[in-house]
């Protein structure tokens, strides 16, 4: 009896070690997504996957899986846009998919592994029955992530928790992958990768901007224009200024100066100084010197140590002064004479 008890304690100790190691590994694997919010001095900080949701999904899988001989181990699969935690078999009879929706109240059901549950509670990894699913929903919502999904088949051979990655993480991962493909000379693959990522995060101005840039650089300006127009007309887009800047650059590189100038004037105000300066420079490149001057003047106190910004600001001022001097004689003639000399 003592040997059996010690054996069970050993198994439980090994199980608790696996759970904590897995949680520590996943916590260090995914970074924090930081983005600047327009008209707000603060930054928005989110994580790819909230730790509470990951913990509850993994602990739930360990708690409710089968430990019979030949049982399949818990599976954690990592994808660019999601994490899937799968345990075998599925839920006990009486539990249905509807019981995993927000605010649902599942019926009382016997625990498959009460001793495992006691161990997890002693480690403060689990609490009371029916608290895990609400915590997953709440953690994902608080992080700004998509809603979790819960799946099992009709024969209840498996149970899966799907946690969508935060959209900001999906964007970051896709941009990195596409950039790597582009610099390896795999231009078509980079464009396809961005197109597929946009199907998952269609509101990302950052992804649209990179797609437009690559399409324009490969001579597909009309396709780039189509991608930009689709994004421009869709509601709820984020980082919209990036898409405008990228499309305008494409126009400038194709010598479509008037189209570029019109687009830049319609561009949303960037939330950060770097892109405000970029937009001012692009106004200047499109020969819209008055708008460029207004944008530069608005950030003048913040660019005193930026040689690039000051250079373009000075060029803008000189061009405005040159144009003013060119108009001065005509204005003087019309002011001094009672006969119109401006016709």
């Amino acid at each position: 009896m003592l040997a059996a008890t010690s054996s069970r304690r050993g198994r439980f100790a090994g199980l608790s070690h696996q759970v904590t190691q897995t949680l520590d590994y996943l916590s260090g694997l995914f970074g924090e997504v930081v983005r600047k919010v327009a008209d707000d001095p603060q930054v928005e900080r989110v994580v790819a996957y909230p730790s509470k949701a990951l913990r509850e999904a993994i602990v739930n899988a360990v708690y409710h899986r089968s430990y019979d001989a030949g049982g399949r181990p818990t599976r954690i699969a990592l994808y660019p846009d999601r994490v899937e935690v799968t345990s075998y078999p599925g839920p006990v009879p009486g539990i249905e998919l509807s019981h995993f929706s927000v605010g649902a109240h599942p019926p009382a059901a016997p625990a498959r592994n009460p001793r495992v549950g006691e161990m997890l509670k002693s480690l403060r990894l689990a609490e009371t029955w029916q608290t895990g699913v609400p915590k997953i929903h709440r953690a994902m919502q608080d992080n700004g992530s998509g809603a979790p999904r819960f799946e099992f088949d009709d024969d209840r051979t498996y149970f899966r928790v799907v946690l969508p990655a935060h959209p900001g993480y999906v964007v970051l991962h896709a941009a990195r992958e596409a950039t790597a493909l582009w610099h390896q000379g795999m231009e078509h693959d980079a464009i396809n990768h961005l197109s597929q990522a946009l199907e998952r995060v269609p509101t990302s101005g950052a992804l649209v901007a990179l797609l437009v840039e690559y399409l324009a650089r490969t001579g597909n300006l009309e396709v780039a224009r189509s991608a930009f127009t689709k994004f421009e007309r869709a509601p709820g887009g984020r980082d919209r200024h990036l898409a405008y800047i990228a499309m305008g650059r494409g126009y400038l590189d194709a010598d479509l100066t008037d189209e570029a100038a019109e687009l830049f004037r319609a561009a949303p105000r960037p939330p950060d100084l770097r892109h405000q300066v970029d937009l001012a420079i692009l106004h200047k490149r499109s020969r819209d010197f008055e708008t460029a001057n207004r944008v530069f003047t608005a950030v003048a106190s913040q660019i005193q140590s930026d040689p690039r910004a000051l250079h373009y600001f000075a060029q803008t001022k000189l061009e405005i002064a040159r144009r003013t001097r060119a108009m001065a004689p005509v204005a003087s003639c019309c002011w001094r004479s009672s006969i119109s000399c401006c016709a």
Side-chain angles (χ1 to χ4, degrees):
M1 180 67 179
L2 180 60
T5 302
S6 298
S7 176
R8 282 197 298 271
R9 285 178 178 172
R11 288 201 305 272
F12 290 163
L15 186 61
S16 66
H17 183 64
Q18 290 179 36
V19 172
T20 53
Q21 271 199 327
T22 300
L23 291 171
D24 288 344
Y25 173 75
L26 292 176
S27 295
L29 187 62
F30 304 110
E32 185 179 58
V33 178
V34 180
R35 68 183 301 274
K36 182 73 174 64
V37 181
D39 301 321
D40 192 331
Q42 302 300 317
V43 294
E44 181 183 88
R45 297 179 181 273
V46 293
V47 292
Y49 303 96
S51 58
K52 288 183 179 179
L54 279 172
R55 183 184 66 220
E56 293 297 335
I58 293 170
V59 168
N60 180 77
V62 170
Y63 191 175
H64 297 292
R65 60 158 288 194
S66 171
Y67 289 93
D68 294 339
R72 299 175 65 181
T74 299
R75 180 176 181 269
I76 302 175
L78 309 181
Y79 298 93
D81 62 341
R82 69 193 187 279
V83 167
E84 296 182 357
V85 182
T86 308
S87 57
Y88 307 90
V92 297
I95 302 297
E96 305 298 334
L97 274 177
S98 60
H99 295 144
F100 295 93
S101 59
V102 177
H105 298 285
R112 179 174 283 137
N113 302 295
R115 288 186 177 275
V116 174
E118 291 172 5
M119 180 272 293
L120 293 171
K121 289 177 184 178
S122 69
L123 295 173
R124 296 184 179 180
L125 291 173
E127 295 180 7
T128 57
W129 174 249
Q130 298 181 356
T131 61
V133 171
K135 283 183 178 180
I136 293 175
H137 279 294
R138 189 162 52 251
M140 295 295 282
Q141 182 179 12
D142 290 345
N143 192 54
S145 304
R149 302 197 307 273
F150 303 89
E151 306 170 351
F152 58 88
D153 57 347
D154 293 339
D155 295 329
R156 298 174 184 262
T157 61
Y158 72 90
F159 178 74
R160 179 175 298 127
V161 180
V162 182
L163 303 178
H166 187 277
Y169 176 79
V170 176
V171 169
L172 182 63
H173 188 276
R176 286 175 175 172
E177 290 293 314
T179 302
L181 290 169
W182 180 268
H183 287 294
Q184 292 170 22
M186 303 168 69
E187 298 175 353
H188 183 71
D189 291 338
I191 290 171
N192 281 343
H193 188 78
L194 289 170
S195 299
Q196 292 170 10
L198 273 169
E199 293 178 2
R200 299 193 295 270
V201 193
T203 58
S204 172
L207 287 185
V208 172
L210 195 55
L211 177 62
V212 165
E213 176 189 343
Y214 287 172
L215 286 169
R217 289 171 66 178
T218 53
N220 295 304
L221 188 62
E222 286 304 314
V223 182
R225 195 200 311 257
S226 177
F228 170 78
T229 301
K230 181 179 179 181
F231 171 76
E232 183 187 27
R233 293 175 177 172
R238 307 192 75 174
D239 299 318
R240 300 181 71 87
H241 63 285
L242 298 178
Y244 279 79
I245 288 173
M247 190 70 248
R249 279 189 176 131
Y251 284 147
L252 285 175
D253 292 341
D255 294 325
L256 299 173
T257 305
D258 291 342
E259 288 88 339
E262 182 180 357
L263 190 67
F264 292 140
R265 283 193 291 269
R269 179 178 178 271
D272 59 292
L273 178 63
R274 180 171 71 88
H275 286 114
Q276 289 174 31
V277 171
D278 286 346
L279 187 57
I281 292 172
L282 291 170
H283 281 302
K284 186 260 181 190
R285 282 187 59 195
S286 64
R287 308 193 67 76
D288 184 357
F289 297 100
E290 295 298 335
T291 304
N293 183 56
R294 284 198 299 271
V295 178
F296 274 127
T297 301
V299 298
S301 62
Q302 303 175 63
I303 60 174
Q304 297 302 311
S305 59
D306 185 342
R308 172 173 170 267
L310 292 174
H311 170 73
Y312 280 102
F313 192 9
Q315 286 188 330
T316 300
K317 288 286 190 184
L318 288 171
E319 180 60 25
I320 291 175
R322 186 191 69 78
R323 292 186 173 196
T324 302
R325 286 196 303 271
M327 293 294 294
V330 175
S332 176
C333 172
C334 294
W335 175 72
R336 291 182 180 181
S337 174
S338 59
I339 302 174
S340 174
C341 61
C342 299

